[in-house]
Amino acid sequence: MNLIGLSRAELQSELEKMGEKPFRAKQLWHWIYFQGKRDFEEMTSLGKPLRQKLIDSGYTLNRPEVVREQNAADRTRKWLFKFNDGQSVETVYIPEEDRGAVCLSTQVGCPNGCVFCHTGSQRFTRNLTAGEFVAQFMAARDSYDEWPSPSHETRYLSNIVVMGMGEPLLNYENVKKGLQIIMDGEGIAISKRRITLSTSGVAPMIPRVAEDLGVKLAVSLHAPTNEIRDKIMPINRKYPLEELIAACRKFQEIGGTRQYITMEYVMLDGVNDSDADARELMRLVKGLAVKFNLIPFNEWRGCPFKCSSGNRIRRFSALLEEHNYAAPVRQSRGQEIMAACGQLKTAAGQA
Ligand code: SF4
């Protein structure tokens, strides 16, 4: 049994089954999530008999296997991680000057099938467990040898974006549990202010993110009207824009309007990038505290779309900014290793 992914209460109950006192769970938590140890023998404060019992009982602290690691010229790093059942996901680290964000996956493949998304063209296989979700981040930290958990000021893997393969709100219980482990102040300790969860618009679950987690929200909006969104994001037929925007309002009622929502908007030539689209977009989000993130489309083989021209993207951004919306154009990172936004896909999915 892999102990990574158990809540504190579950860890305690495992230890109680072995006849151990509750405080042992706190110690073990520290060794697993603060020190990042993978070997029970190194957990000196546990005492030799308990260390031996953990080993003899067959507990593990396994990370996924690193099948491949690729490094881009801009220092973006992408891993292909394989889990015990042979399924794999991609995880990306996007560095800034003295910090950086790890982009975590939540599902093998994605059931949503957004037509512009490379991941969405991969068959959905399964959800990640909470343990697999957390172990993915721990494996990224192993790769940079960032143990024990450094203080926020000095850590390199400082932020998390839940924007990799999959739709997190279709695997909510596991993602919630995983993030609660990652946010725990006595372990990995990434603060909720440094975590952004991105959804394609599973409207009924959006308020839960504010209630349960308090992390930041990003919405893959990508279209100003139902007509356009229905064509490029099938999920819109289930949760149309009215429902999605109402859910965002609820999110801000709970989390406060200082909790800006980032509206992700991929720039698709001739599809969603006209001046009229920009105006419609502003009408749509009126009354919400939002900022936009304009994403030049990363083309991939077999995809029917082209990226909007540089001029068009600048004009679109300027229109939004004239009306006091932040609308920066996202710098694409890790493009040559297919690590950029919407490009993740595992070999299994390409078969
Ligand atoms: S954009 Fe997100 S939700 Fe849509 S198919 Fe890609 S991974 Fe899934």
Side-chain angles (χ1 to χ4, degrees):
M1 181 189 201
N2 195 349
L3 294 180
I4 293 175
L6 297 191
S7 66
R8 273 177 181 266
E10 287 167 339
L11 197 58
Q12 193 169 316
S13 125
E14 285 304 312
L15 287 164
E16 276 167 9
K17 277 191 236 160
M18 298 165 74
E20 295 293 331
K21 297 250 161 44
F23 78 93
R24 291 294 191 191
K26 193 176 161 72
Q27 288 181 320
L28 192 50
W29 186 273
H30 172 87
W31 285 112
I32 299 173
Y33 294 117
F34 182 78
Q35 299 285 352
K37 295 292 181 205
R38 306 165 75 163
D39 185 349
F40 293 114
E41 291 287 12
E42 292 179 50
M43 303 181 177
T44 44
S45 67
L46 295 186
K48 191 137 184 54
L50 173 55
R51 295 198 309 258
Q52 198 53 50
K53 255 198 274 183
L54 287 164
I55 296 165
D56 294 344
S57 307
Y59 290 116
T60 65
L61 298 166
N62 286 346
R63 275 58 153 167
E65 180 193 336
V66 185
V67 177
R68 192 175 61 228
E69 180 186 295
Q70 290 170 279
N71 292 286
D74 67 6
R75 296 184 299 125
T76 298
R77 182 174 292 181
K78 182 172 83 168
W79 302 271
L80 177 65
F81 288 139
K82 186 158 92 183
F83 299 108
N84 278 347
D85 65 350
Q87 295 297 334
S88 51
V89 295
E90 292 192 318
T91 306
V92 182
Y93 175 65
I94 308 134
E96 301 294 339
E97 197 62 11
D98 54 353
R99 64 200 165 86
V102 181
C103 180
L104 297 179
S105 291
T106 56
Q107 298 180 310
V108 180
C110 180
N112 277 355
C114 302
V115 292
F116 53 83
C117 175
H118 202 218
T119 308
S121 69
Q122 171 176 345
R123 189 173 52 85
F124 170 70
T125 308
R126 67 169 177 84
N127 286 329
L128 294 198
T129 63
E132 288 168 337
F133 178 75
V134 176
Q136 191 187 169
F137 182 73
M138 295 174 83
R141 259 199 180 171
D142 292 344
S143 177
Y144 285 89
D145 200 15
E146 198 166 70
W147 298 107
S149 290
S151 75
H152 264 308
E153 289 65 42
T154 56
R155 61 178 71 173
Y156 202 48
L157 278 63
S158 59
N159 290 50
I160 287 178
V161 288
V162 187
M163 283 187 194
M165 299 169 65
E167 164 53 64
L169 298 188
L170 292 179
N171 183 18
Y172 184 64
E173 290 305 324
N174 287 336
V175 171
K176 177 177 111 181
K177 188 177 178 195
L179 285 177
Q180 282 169 335
I181 291 171
I182 285 172
M183 292 191 294
D184 188 294
E186 292 180 3
I188 294 172
I190 304 271
S191 125
K192 62 184 180 186
R193 290 188 307 279
R194 293 172 187 267
I195 298 176
T196 302
L197 182 147
S198 176
T199 178
S200 59
V202 185
M205 299 303 293
I206 286 176
R208 296 272 310 270
V209 177
E211 278 161 9
D212 298 341
L213 295 167
V215 299
K216 292 184 186 168
L217 182 73
V219 174
S220 296
L221 191 60
H222 305 320
T225 62
N226 282 325
E227 199 194 344
I228 301 175
R229 203 162 190 267
D230 278 352
K231 283 189 198 138
I232 58 174
M233 300 183 74
I235 194 168
N236 197 64
R237 292 180 217 140
K238 191 159 186 195
Y239 305 115
L241 282 171
E242 309 75 67
E243 271 185 54
L244 174 55
I245 296 298
C248 290
R249 281 192 215 293
K250 195 83 203 282
F251 177 88
Q252 286 191 324
E253 273 166 35
I254 301 163
T257 44
R258 285 211 317 222
Q259 205 40 313
Y260 269 63
I261 297 173
T262 302
M263 294 293 183
E264 309 280 352
Y265 199 92
V266 65
M267 299 300 298
L268 300 171
D269 184 36
V271 176
N272 63 356
D273 63 349
S274 69
D275 287 2
D277 291 331
R279 290 194 197 95
E280 198 60 53
L281 197 52
M282 289 186 275
R283 255 198 299 279
L284 181 71
V285 301
K286 203 156 189 244
L288 277 175
V290 302
K291 50 188 178 185
F292 291 97
N293 193 5
L294 304 183
I295 308 164
F297 177 57
N298 290 306
E299 294 170 22
W300 43 273
R301 198 144 48 98
C303 171
F305 300 108
K306 294 250 159 307
C307 180
S308 310
S309 71
N311 277 346
R312 183 89 300 269
I313 296 175
R314 278 190 291 280
R315 165 81 184 153
F316 200 90
S317 165
L319 265 174
L320 298 173
E321 290 190 338
E322 270 168 28
H323 291 83
N324 299 320
Y325 288 103
V329 180
R330 186 195 283 177
Q331 298 294 324
S332 198
R333 304 288 304 270
Q335 213 165 351
E336 80 268 26
I337 56 168
M338 290 290 280
C341 191
Q343 287 186 324
L344 302 187
K345 183 168 178 172
T346 55
Q350 284 158 348

